[in-house]
Amino acid sequence: MKRIIRLLPALFLAVLVVAACKDKETMDPQPDPTLYERLGGINAISAVVDQFLANVVADNSINGRFAATVADPFRTQLLRNNLIDQVCAGSGGPCQYKGKTMKEAHTGMNITDAEFNALVGDLVAALDQFNVPEQEKNELLAILGPMRPDIVGQ
Amino acid sequence: MKYLRWTLFCCTLLGFSGWWILHKPKSPVDDLPPIQFTSLQLHFKQQGAGKALAAQVRQWPEVSAASFNDVSGLLVVVHTHALPQTELIQRVAAKAQQKASIKVFEASGPQCPVPAEFLYRLPVYLLWFGIATGAFTLMLFYRLRHA
Ligand code: HEM
C-alpha cells in the first residue's frame, strides 16, 4: 500500500504530461494533406497506373517499345509495381521507389519527344477517366515532367 | 573436414551479406493483388463500340483496368488471377459477339538471358542459401566438438 502511495505523485505527473501533449496536438493546425492522400492513397494510385499501362499497351504508336515487357508477365508486374512506387513516393506516400534511375532505365532506347508526349497523353487519359481534379493532375505531371531530359534521347 | 567447415562458413556469410545488400524494403504495393495483362485484337465496324466494351469490362470485379484503342483495335485488360485468361477471352468474345484473338507481343533485339523473375528473387534465394549453409556449418562444428 505504501508503495502505491509513493508512486501516486509520479502517476499524477505522467497524466499531466499526457494531457498537455494531447492539448498541444489538438491545438496544432492539421498539416495539409499530401498529394498522395488527395489522390486517394495506394488503391487509387494503383487503379490509375493500371489504366495508364493499359492505355500504353493498346497505343500502337508506343507499344512496340514495351513488347519485351508485355511478353513477360513478371516484367509487366514489376514495371507496374515500380510505377506505383514511383508515383506513391513522389506524391508523399509511404513508399520507396526501388527501381532504376530514369536515366539508367531509358538509356539506349533513344526515346523521341513524340513518344514521350504520347505516353504522357496516355497518362492524362487515365487521370481524366478517374476524374482526378485539375490541381492534383497538374501536381502529378509537374513531378514527372522534369524527368523528360533523363528519358528522351538517351 | 576443416576446409569444408570454412567453405560452408564463407558461403553462409556470402548468402547473408548478399541478401542484406540486395534486399528491398517492403512497400504497400506488395500487398496489392498481383495482376496480369491480356491484349485482345478486335474489329468493330461501329465507332465507339470498342470503348463501350472496355467500359463494360472495367466493371467486372476481377478487372482493374481496360482500354480500347480505335487505331490499333486492341482491347487491353488488366485483371487479377481470379479471372483466368481463357475465361476472360470467352467473356469478351461473348460481349463483343466476335472472335477475340490474343495479340502476342514479341521481344525484339538483344534481351537479358537471365529471367527478370530470377533477378528479382535473388535476395530471397541468397537468404535461403545462407540459412541452409549456416545450418550445415553449425552441424559440422557441433559434430566435431562432440566427436
Ligand atoms: C514520365 C515518363 C516516364 C516515366 C515516369 C517512366 C518510368 C519508368 C520506370 C519506373 C521504369 C522501370 C525502371 C526499372 O525497371 O527499374 C521504366 C522502364 C521502362 N520505360 Fe519508362 N518512363 C517514362 C517514359 C517512357 C517512355 C516515353 C517510354 C517509351 C516510349 C518508356 C519506355 C520504357 C521501357 C521500355 C522500360 C523497360 C521496362 C522493362 O524493364 O521491362 N518510358 N520507365
Side-chain angles (χ1 to χ4, degrees), chain A residues 20-82:
Chain A
C21 289
K22 211 164 175 236
D23 237 329
K24 192 171 175 293
E25 238 171 54
T26 47
M27 271 158 58
D28 273 349
Q30 281 284 308
D32 286 339
T34 58
L35 176 59
Y36 171 80
E37 285 160 342
R38 282 179 282 136
L39 285 171
I42 198 76
N43 289 323
I45 290 176
S46 90
V48 169
V49 168
D50 283 354
Q51 187 59 45
F52 160 59
L53 281 175
N55 292 347
V56 168
V57 177
D59 181 351
N60 61 354
S61 69
I62 48 172
N63 64 7
R65 293 280 195 179
F66 294 89
T69 313
V70 183
D72 178 349
F74 190 81
R75 263 174 85 170
T76 321
Q77 173 85 49
L78 207 59
L79 175 65
R80 179 249 197 177
N81 287 1
N82 273 333

Side-chain angles (χ1 to χ4, degrees), chain A residues 102-116:
Chain A
M102 287 300 94
K103 211 175 184 133
E104 278 169 0
H106 301 94
T107 290
M109 289 188 194
N110 236 325
I111 291 168
T112 62
D113 264 316
E115 286 175 316
F116 187 90

Side-chain angles (χ1 to χ4, degrees), chain B:
Chain B
M1 204 60 159
K2 198 174 160 195
Y3 284 120
L4 180 66
R5 254 190 309 164
W6 286 108
T7 311
L8 278 175
F9 180 69
C10 289
C11 287
T12 309
L13 277 186
L14 199 84
F16 282 118
S17 44
W19 168 77
W20 181 254
I21 293 164
L22 296 175
H23 88 283
K24 309 228 160 112
K26 218 179 133 42
S27 158
V29 174
D30 302 329
D31 300 327
L32 295 173
I35 46 88
Q36 183 182 356
F37 278 64
T38 300
S39 309
L40 301 170
Q41 192 71 63
L42 297 167
H43 303 279
F44 290 102
K45 288 193 189 97
Q46 234 182 328
Q47 188 72 22
K51 296 230 186 269
L53 174 68
Q56 283 180 22
V57 171
R58 233 175 270 134
Q59 303 305 317
W60 297 348
E62 312 90 342
V63 170
S64 66
S67 176
F68 181 80
N69 188 300
D70 285 317
V71 182
S72 64
L74 279 178
L75 173 75
V76 179
V77 184
V78 184
H79 54 105
T80 64
H81 297 292
L83 177 60
Q85 208 169 44
T86 43
E87 197 186 324
L88 172 78
I89 297 169
Q90 281 169 9
R91 279 211 229 166
V92 168
K95 278 248 177 249
Q97 294 180 334
Q98 59 175 284
K99 199 171 163 278
S101 56
I102 287 202
K103 157 93 181 161
V104 182
F105 285 92
E106 268 167 40
S108 61
Q111 299 296 320
C112 178
V114 186
E117 188 164 3
F118 176 80
L119 291 176
Y120 182 80
R121 300 202 192 287
L122 187 60
V124 178
Y125 295 152
L126 284 173
L127 179 65
W128 280 111
F129 177 69
I131 291 173
T133 51
F136 273 119
T137 316
L138 283 179
M139 229 163 66
L140 281 184
F141 272 104
Y142 184 81
R143 276 182 112 195
L144 279 177
R145 253 212 191 156
H146 293 268

